[in-house]
């Protein structure tokens, strides 16, 4: 009888220990994934807001001064100005006999290089990558002007996934996503998103919805601005045929997925760690009692 009781105690102790270990591990993994996905969403929010900030000004202009100034990275158009009427006269040739004045005027020339919102977003992404930030992002689409922005395997998969999900949405929900109303404090439509874990990193993607303003450059090759048609960096063989209100690309975010041990160590307070230690010791104690009852055998009469 005692041996049977020992087996039961041992079984319950093993079940309790296994359940605690498995449940704790699964809970920690779920918490880590949820936290990391939220981090990916935060990075995507930042990328969207960078684009929204630049859009309210129609893009931004990077200023340089002097004819020999370094170019401010990639840009779409450039406007050059003399800073005074006198400099303008010199540079137009009406006073070319004064070479010193000409050189001085050239040093004062101002140039303004236009970057549209998408380019601003991309350059912020480049800064994050160069800084070694743990969380990084990039913008890509199924069809791109610049082949350097072409999607990788995960991004192609994500674009197809969000486009398929969008096609299944009720008309009202699709319309809300197509023309999101950004009302301070108001409820915003949930974005289309897709993610998976690969090689210890979370790969997260959020749909980019084409707006009417995008069609200025991305409608058809013949109607694109001259700076698109004549600039060599936009010879990627695509980037046209976008439809307003449709998902055309993604904000692609990568975030490292921390190990369970690291998160447990960094997140739990000393009291919580002590409680877990007591639970583990209790489980071991029950196992010890069960094993003792199993191998001690029945009491013998004197």
């Amino acid at each position: 009888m005692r041996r049977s009781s020992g087996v039961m105690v041992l079984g319950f102790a093993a079940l309790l220990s296994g359940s605690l270990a498995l449940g704790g591990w699964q809970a920690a993994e779920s918490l880590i994934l949820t936290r990391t996905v939220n981090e990916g969403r935060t990075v995507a929010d930042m990328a969207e807001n960078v684009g929204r900030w630049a859009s309210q000004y129609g893009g931004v202009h990077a200023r340089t001064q002097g004819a020999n100034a370094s170019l401010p990275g990639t840009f779409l158009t450039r406007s050059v100005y003399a800073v005074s009427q006198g400099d303008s006269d010199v540079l137009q040739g009406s006073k070319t006999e004064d070479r010193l004045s000409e050189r001085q005027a050239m040093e004062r020339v101002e140039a303004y290089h236009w970057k549209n919102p998408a380019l601003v977003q991309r350059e912020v992404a480049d800064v994050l990558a160069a800084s070694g930030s743990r969380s990084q992002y990039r913008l890509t689409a199924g069809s791109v002007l610049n082949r350097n922005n072409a999607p990788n395997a995960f991004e192609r998969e994500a674009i197809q996934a969000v486009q398929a999900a969008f096609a299944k949405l009720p008309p009202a929900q699709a319309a809300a996503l197509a023309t999101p109303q950004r009302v301070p404090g108001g409820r915003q439509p949930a974005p289309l998103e897709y993610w998976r874990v690969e090689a210890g990193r979370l790969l997260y993607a959020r749909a980019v919805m084409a707006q009417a303003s995008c069609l200025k450059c991305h409608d058809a090759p013949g109607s694109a601005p001259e700076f698109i048609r004549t600039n060599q960096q936009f010879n990627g063989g695509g980037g046209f045929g976008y439809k307003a209100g449709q998902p055309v690309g993604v904000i692609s975010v990568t975030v490292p997925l921390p190990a369970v041990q690291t998160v447990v160590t960094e997140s739990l307070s000393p009291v919580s760690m002590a409680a877990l230690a007591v639970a583990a010791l209790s489980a071991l104690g029950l196992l010890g009692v069960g094993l003792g009852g199993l191998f001690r055998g029945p009491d013998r009469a004197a």
Side-chain angles (χ1 to χ4, degrees):
M1 188 70 177
R2 185 181 295 275
R3 186 178 184 84
S4 176
S5 298
V7 171
M8 291 180 60
V9 171
L10 179 62
F12 283 124
L15 182 62
L16 174 62
S17 301
S19 299
L20 284 173
L22 180 60
W25 190 270
Q26 291 292 331
E29 285 189 332
S30 178
L31 177 64
I32 290 169
L33 181 59
T34 299
R35 190 178 77 172
T36 308
V37 168
N38 285 335
E39 185 175 344
R41 288 172 175 151
T42 299
V43 174
D45 286 343
M46 180 202 69
E48 282 188 343
N49 287 322
V50 166
R52 193 167 296 115
W53 169 81
S55 293
Q56 68 183 344
Y57 303 115
V60 299
H61 285 83
R63 172 183 174 274
T64 60
Q65 186 171 24
N68 297 320
S70 300
L71 294 178
T74 306
F75 57 92
L76 301 182
T77 62
R78 173 171 53 195
S79 300
V80 181
Y81 301 94
V83 298
S84 69
Q85 185 60 50
D87 284 353
S88 178
D89 292 342
V90 169
L91 295 174
Q92 288 176 12
S94 60
K95 298 180 180 179
T96 52
E97 72 281 357
D98 187 349
R99 296 301 181 186
L100 176 60
S101 295
E102 184 178 3
R103 288 195 297 270
Q104 291 173 339
M106 290 292 289
E107 286 303 315
R108 290 190 291 266
V109 162
E110 292 184 349
Y112 294 84
H113 306 76
W114 178 56
K115 301 172 184 283
N116 68 350
L119 185 51
V120 173
Q121 288 172 304
R122 198 194 78 189
E123 291 198 355
V124 172
D126 292 342
V127 170
L128 283 175
S131 70
S133 172
R134 66 186 303 273
S135 301
Q136 300 180 10
Y137 80 89
R138 67 189 298 263
L139 271 70
T140 185
S143 178
V144 295
L145 292 168
N146 187 338
R147 60 168 50 97
N148 292 330
N149 299 329
N152 58 30
F154 164 73
E155 291 160 349
R156 288 193 297 271
E157 179 183 313
I159 291 168
Q160 293 172 359
V162 298
Q163 289 176 337
F166 182 80
K168 296 177 182 177
L169 291 177
Q173 191 174 350
L177 281 172
T179 54
Q181 299 298 316
R182 299 290 172 175
V183 180
R187 182 171 182 175
Q188 312 300 338
L192 294 172
E193 55 187 8
Y194 178 82
W195 71 79
R196 62 180 167 86
V197 174
E198 180 180 290
R201 297 184 69 86
L202 172 74
L203 306 181
Y204 172 90
R206 175 180 296 178
V208 172
M209 310 298 293
Q211 304 299 311
S213 58
C214 302
L215 303 188
K216 178 181 179 182
C217 296
H218 294 283
D219 186 6
S223 62
E226 183 180 2
F227 63 79
I228 292 289
R229 290 183 276 109
T230 59
N231 196 319
Q232 282 298 109
Q233 68 176 322
F234 301 133
N235 62 358
F240 300 106
Y242 288 14
K243 303 293 183 184
Q246 299 287 320
V248 294
V250 293
I251 299 171
S252 176
V253 181
T254 62
V255 186
L257 204 67
V260 173
Q261 301 92 322
T262 302
V263 172
V264 170
T265 302
E266 293 178 350
S267 302
L268 293 182
S269 66
V271 174
S272 299
M273 292 291 287
L276 286 176
V278 169
L281 289 173
S282 299
L284 290 174
L286 285 174
L287 280 173
V289 170
L291 288 171
L294 181 64
F295 294 108
R296 188 166 52 247
D299 291 338
R300 297 184 180 278

